[in-house]
Amino acid sequence: MTGQLAPEHGVWELGSPLRSALPTWSHVLRRAGYRTTICGRMHFVGPDTMHGFEHRIFPQYAGADPVSPHAYADWGEPQVDSHVMLEAVNASGSQDEPTRAEIYDRGVFDAAMAELDSRAQDSDPWAMTVGFFQPHFPFRISQPWFDRYEGLEIPLPRTPPGGESYASLIPQQLHDSRKFLGLTDDGLTDDLVRMARRCYYAMITQVDDMIGRLVHHLEELCMSDNTWIVYMSDHGENLGEHGLWSKLNFYEDSVRTPLVIVPPNYRKGGSRCGAHVSHIDWFPTVA
């Protein structure tokens, strides 16, 4: 949002608010005459849930807006053995009704589709951020999406060489993270790991479907020829690689994020840039 690093913007964890006085790329676009809209999840904390956006058309995920500033833990205290991610993997699977995350994402999708309809009648330039919750733990998904992977081989994470354990290979600095998140070594079976990964794949498929329908609707409204589409995410998911779950480390599985950019009227898919990029580059790039 700001094109700045943590020491400059002061947001050190998810419970920290971003200062309203800091200009964001959304402020810059508004000054340039753009109508800026936020739809869904953005994880803004504190009384300011806009940070330059002109309209919010669907609320944030975490209950009531605004989300109060908070800290997740006292960094000076020993980490307790909560193994929160092991509980999530143990509880993974399909369910008959849509999950809370699915219901939320469907609301985001419907609001975004309606916003596209309204922008089709508007001559002003516009920018809309659409924030889905999925894919994200808990690893649960409704049956129709779970069934998309019926009969398909779900690969297990890579295993350490020479029969060594995950626990013997992770750096000492990650052992407190192990207490919080848990390691695959701490009692998960192969069937449970495959189940969690299958549900995660199904979540990705569901979000991919919604994004595809948004892009198709842009084309139906004859707006794709002058609209940039940018897809990004805030972090990855270890999903059992290195024996780890969730994020909170600097392995590729945790920190490597998607960045897909489609210029207007672009028809040559699959081009790749091999340079290292960061989301901190987004602000100056869009400006």
Side-chain angles (χ1 to χ4, degrees):
M1 290 302 299
T2 66
Q4 296 180 345
L5 294 169
E8 299 169 300
H9 60 58
V11 179
W12 290 97
E13 64 173 357
L14 293 179
S16 303
L18 178 66
R19 297 195 304 278
S20 295
L22 289 175
T24 68
W25 59 262
S26 189
H27 284 116
V28 170
L29 289 183
R30 282 184 71 179
R31 287 182 61 183
Y34 279 71
R35 306 292 299 275
T36 55
T37 302
I38 183 169
C39 178
R41 193 168 191 246
M42 197 64 178
H43 226 302
F44 289 145
V45 173
D48 186 353
T49 62
M50 301 300 284
H51 290 288
F53 289 101
E54 185 178 4
H55 302 288
R56 173 178 280 282
I57 59 173
F58 201 81
Q60 301 202 99
Y61 183 76
D65 278 339
V67 179
S68 299
H70 59 282
Y72 279 81
D74 184 340
W75 291 4
E77 293 295 320
Q79 178 65 56
V80 297
D81 291 332
S82 56
H83 289 180
V84 60
M85 290 304 299
L86 294 190
E87 295 177 7
V89 177
N90 271 302
S92 61
S94 62
Q95 61 182 55
D96 293 336
E97 300 296 326
T99 65
R100 181 187 174 199
E102 290 179 83
I103 293 169
Y104 176 81
D105 282 350
R106 181 56 195 243
V108 173
F109 169 78
D110 288 343
M113 291 283 277
E115 179 72 3
L116 290 182
D117 288 333
S118 68
R119 289 291 165 245
Q121 314 303 321
D122 194 344
S123 60
D124 292 331
W126 56 272
M128 177 168 61
T129 290
V130 181
F132 293 112
F133 181 84
Q134 299 180 103
H136 199 285
F137 79 91
F139 304 114
R140 299 195 65 79
I141 192 76
S142 58
Q143 196 69 45
W145 295 98
F146 185 80
D147 289 345
R148 295 280 189 103
Y149 288 84
E150 183 65 32
L152 299 180
E153 179 64 28
I154 306 298
L156 287 169
R158 294 160 292 179
T159 55
E164 293 185 84
S165 67
Y166 293 119
S168 68
L169 294 176
I170 65 169
Q172 186 62 40
Q173 296 96 318
L174 290 181
H175 277 278
D176 266 0
S177 179
R178 176 189 186 180
K179 291 179 182 178
F180 173 42
L181 301 174
L183 269 181
T184 299
D185 280 356
D186 298 328
L188 294 179
T189 65
D190 287 354
D191 285 345
L192 282 170
V193 172
R194 284 195 177 95
M195 179 64 73
R197 289 164 73 93
R198 175 175 174 173
C199 290
Y200 196 80
Y201 296 166
M203 291 181 211
I204 293 173
T205 299
Q206 188 178 77
V207 171
D208 187 53
D209 177 81
M210 289 187 286
I211 292 171
R213 291 164 69 187
L214 281 169
V215 173
H216 181 64
H217 199 44
L218 266 178
E219 295 169 348
E220 289 179 326
L221 296 170
C222 300
M223 294 196 295
S224 60
D225 288 348
N226 65 345
T227 302
W228 288 75
I229 302 169
V230 180
Y231 176 79
M232 59 176 70
S233 181
D234 57 343
H235 60 79
E237 161 63 57
N238 287 295
L239 212 61
E241 299 295 338
H242 310 281
L244 297 161
W245 296 85
S246 190
K247 44 184 178 177
L248 306 182
N249 59 67
F250 289 103
Y251 287 122
E252 281 283 279
D253 314 277
S254 174
V255 299
R256 186 175 182 176
T257 58
L259 177 61
V260 182
I261 302 174
V262 184
N265 213 17
Y266 191 72
R267 295 291 180 265
K268 293 187 289 185
S271 300
R272 291 175 177 264
C273 171
H276 286 143
V277 297
S278 165
H279 289 174
I280 197 174
D281 301 320
W282 168 243
F283 191 160
T285 301
V286 71

